[in-house]
Structure formats: C-alpha cells, structure tokens
Amino acid sequence: MANASAKRIAQQNETTVRTLRLGLFLPTVVSLVLRLLFRWNSLSSVKFSIAIYIAATLPALFLSSYLIKIGTTRRDPTTGTLISYGEDLGQAGVTEWCFDVIYITWACQIGSGAFGDWFWWLYMIIPVYAVFKLWTSAISPLLLGRSSSAPTADAADDKEPAASKRQEKLRKRNERGDPRVRGVPVKK
C-alpha cells in the first residue's frame, strides 16, 4: 500500500517538475510574441520592462529551482526502480505558496506582453497576502490577544459528535425491538 502511494507521488512530482521546467521559458516566449504582435510600439520603453521583468522573475526562478530540486524523483539507472520520490509537491503550506508566486509571475509575464506593463501591478497580490497572513496568524494574536482562527458556528455541536450511519441504524433497530441489537447499548 505504501509503495503505491510513493509511486503516485512520484508520478505527480514528475508531471509537476516537467510543468515547472516548461514554465521557466514558455511565459517569456509567449510574452515576447504577444508584445511583438499586439504591442510592437511598446518596445521603445524596453529598460523599464526589463527591470520589472528581472525583479519579478528572480524570485520565481529561485522558487522553481527549489521545487524542482525537492520534487525530482530518483530512480535506479539500471532497473528504473523508484529510489526516492522526493518531497510531495502537492502538500499544503509553503510549497503551495511557492506555486502561487510562480503562477502569479507567469500570469504577469504573459499579461504584460498582451496588455502592457501596468499588468505587473497584479504582482502586488503577493506582498498584500503575505502581510494579511502575518497579521492574522502572528501580529494580531500577539498584540490584540485575538485567536488566530475564528470561532465556528458549529462549536456548540463539537461537544456531542454526530452519530455515524451505522450507529443510527442500530439505534433505529433497537427502538423497533429488533432481536439482533437487543443486548447492545447504543449511544444517542
């Protein structure tokens, strides 16, 4: 069972690494083609465009190489058997945030080629989200004494967990007087 899970993670990682490698150059090519086709007169302000492009692409390059490094599977060169499947690139948390930064960078590259350099303002989503997460998880709880998670409406229901389908069936059979469940006490 564990071997099947490792193979599944390895397959997903190989697909994701292939996509990341393709994404290292494809958005740049698409951006240049769109800029040449639709906005060829915007090539006069090349210095500004290149400065923004480099400033935004460096973090994406770093994160892509990091994800490729941790997600690359290792196989035995002679037999092709799986030695290590790498880290699971589908996990939540920091890995997910790395992909968010990479995808926003790709969208900004392609969008700036199609619509103009103003599209790079979309990149501001990253620091705004980082400040929001920092505020809700660290600053606000420390300074204002608030909890990092909001209370849910189901907090009252947590005291008594819901019965499973099987327990409900047994309870109903017991109420009807079914001889199969007479000796079994059922929680309500």
Side-chain angles (χ1 to χ4, degrees), residues 21 39-40 65 81 85-88 94-95 118 141 147 186:
R21 288 189 174 136
R39 301 184 52 251
W40 62 271
S65 64
T81 58
Y85 58 86
E87 295 293 323
D88 184 10
V94 176
T95 306
W118 64 268
S147 66
V186 179

Side-chain angles (χ1 to χ4, degrees), residues 64-132:
S64 292
S65 64
Y66 168 71
L67 291 173
I68 288 170
K69 181 181 176 185
I70 68 168
T72 302
T73 58
R74 288 190 343 221
R75 297 187 180 272
D76 185 5
T78 56
T79 62
T81 58
L82 186 66
I83 296 173
S84 169
Y85 58 86
E87 295 293 323
D88 184 10
L89 294 179
Q91 64 186 345
V94 176
T95 306
E96 189 176 43
W97 295 339
C98 291
F99 279 111
D100 291 344
V101 171
I102 291 168
Y103 294 151
I104 289 172
T105 304
W106 291 351
C108 287
Q109 287 174 349
I110 294 170
S112 70
F115 304 114
D117 288 334
W118 64 268
F119 206 82
W120 283 103
W121 283 102
L122 177 67
Y123 208 71
M124 292 303 293
I125 288 176
I126 296 168
V128 167
Y129 182 73
V131 167
F132 168 75

Side-chain angles (χ1 to χ4, degrees), residues 128-141:
V128 167
Y129 182 73
V131 167
F132 168 75
K133 287 301 278 185
L134 188 65
W135 176 261
T136 58
S137 63
I139 296 172
S140 178

